[in-house]
Amino acid sequence: MNTSTITDNILSARYLRKGEKTFEDICHRVASALASDEKDRELFYEAMTSLRFLPNSPTLMNAGTEIGQLSACFTLPVPDSIPGIFDAMKQGAVIHKTGGGTGYNFSHIRAEGSPVRSTDGVASGPVSFMKAFNAATDVIKQGGRRRGANMGILNVWHPDILSFITSKKEEGSISNFNISVMVNDEFMTLVRDRKFDEIWIKHPVTGVKVTVGEIWNGIVDGIWKNGEPGVLFYDEINRHNPTPGLGDIDITNPCGEQPLLPFESCVLGSINLAACINEGKFDEELLDDTVRMAVRFLNNVIDANVYPIPEIEEATKKTRKIGLGVMGVHDALLMLKIPYDSPGGRKWCGEIMHRITETAVEESQLLAEKLGTFPEWEKSTWKERKVRNAAMTTVAPTGTISLLAGCSSGIEPVFSFAYTRMNTVGKTFFIVSPVFKEALHSTLSEKGHSGDELKKREEEVIAHVHDTGSIQDLEWLPADFRSLFKTALDISYRDHIEMQAVFQKYVHASISKTINMPNSAERKDCEEALLAAWTLGLKGITIYRTGSRDSVVLSLGNSE
Ligand code: ADP
């Protein structure tokens, strides 16, 4: 195993700027660009170099450089006109160029087959335009650092919903988009009551009718076959919209953790919970200090940011939303010896997230005392508290920054405790989780193994994990060890959803998480998961059934 080599590789490929050689150089540049005083500069630098807090990739790449675009998440409106649609495409291209991802809701575009007055023609519908956005993304390479990412959303009450749901049926099509259906409570209630024959929409021109059952089966079938579409819950998102006076929310960023108003953007940053553990104990004071520092950090980003277009600057500065999240959650649980899929695991996570959000709100209040509330505070739900930011917490995927920090990503359970990873130049690395390795060593020692025999046993277990991803079938290992070291695929999908729900209870925005299912899962499991997600108050859900797509980024044995 060689985690640091991988880290070096990611760094040089993505974050190092001219003249920079080390991770410390990057942290120095970022801290200097963002701190408002010397004390914070030191705090920002220390939190990043100790890998306890990292901002999203665009901040690491662009802070203190000419590009200066620091946010990961953007949402753009797409109106129902040719100039409007292509304006959105142009705005998206500019954002991709600087490393941001864009979310669009295509529901304003009139249905396929509708009349086009000026030309006497017929409209080609939202799906055809989504393909054009996809092609545009292909040609923007983001300076070779990230491939552009988009979210495409269609409301369940749009007449083209069936063709949208099946638009990614062919593997590899519209590959620069994640797609999600925005459902509402009315639709979900009909599904729950199994009113599948009810007519849900009628095409305004052709008169074609679509039933609840056709749409629901389309969604479930798509998920079962290849993990898409995702599902977003419109009413739940809007029940928690912090600024209802500025309009409803019907768009999210590419990975779904940020439901935002049109033209808003959000900068993310994540605290590595595993780095808040000292000698087996979770350091709550260190967490509180880190949260306060992170809120000031992210709030400063809003002012230091170079916005790609004026509309985005205006919308972002009206609400000043920031996205503070967590990573290394599973690692922290393992270090504290609490199983992820247990009542104790959920309790601990709920308490920690509650604490993070409360502390973040307090810090935002302090900022408001000094600098004033966010401009649209009067139109917000923050009646009791004067805060600087309309929303503070979220859970990002932390895809790259968790690799950099060497911790488990976001709130996801570890995928495998041993795997091979290939870097961008094709070199492979055999990686074993250090927490697992250490715990295995002491468990086997306690069982009386020693010397060469102990070493042989360790190697045997690690090879088994590498090949199968699990230790659950190694019955000779102690039961408590096995129940602690469960991986994403050992954990039932219900436990995945419950963990997401625990975090969602305390998180202001939304959560990026994949609900993993085994390959043997059936369509009815997907149905049950979607209904559970709605009932438990999630704002969105992404399900992936193992092996349902040919190519996945991380798989057992050899992975990309
Ligand atoms: P990182 O770990 O690199 O900071 P995350 O994996 O946490 O990023 O993703 C956070 C958000 O950044 C995503 O929800 C999405 O909005 C945006 N994003 C992620 N990957 C890309 C990409 N390749 N191109 C553009 N935006 C991206």
Side-chain angles (χ1 to χ4, degrees), residues 474-488:
L474 297 181
E475 284 172 15
W476 58 272
L477 282 168
D480 56 348
F481 181 81
R482 279 187 287 144
S483 64
L484 182 61
F485 286 95
K486 279 195 191 162
T487 56

Side-chain angles (χ1 to χ4, degrees), residues 56-57 72-73 99-101 142 146-149 253-255 257 268 396-401:
N56 55 209
S57 290
C73 313
Q142 298 197 333
R146 319 226 269 184
R147 206 168 59 112
N253 70 323
C255 303
E257 72 274 19
L268 311 172
T398 72
T400 325
I401 59 167

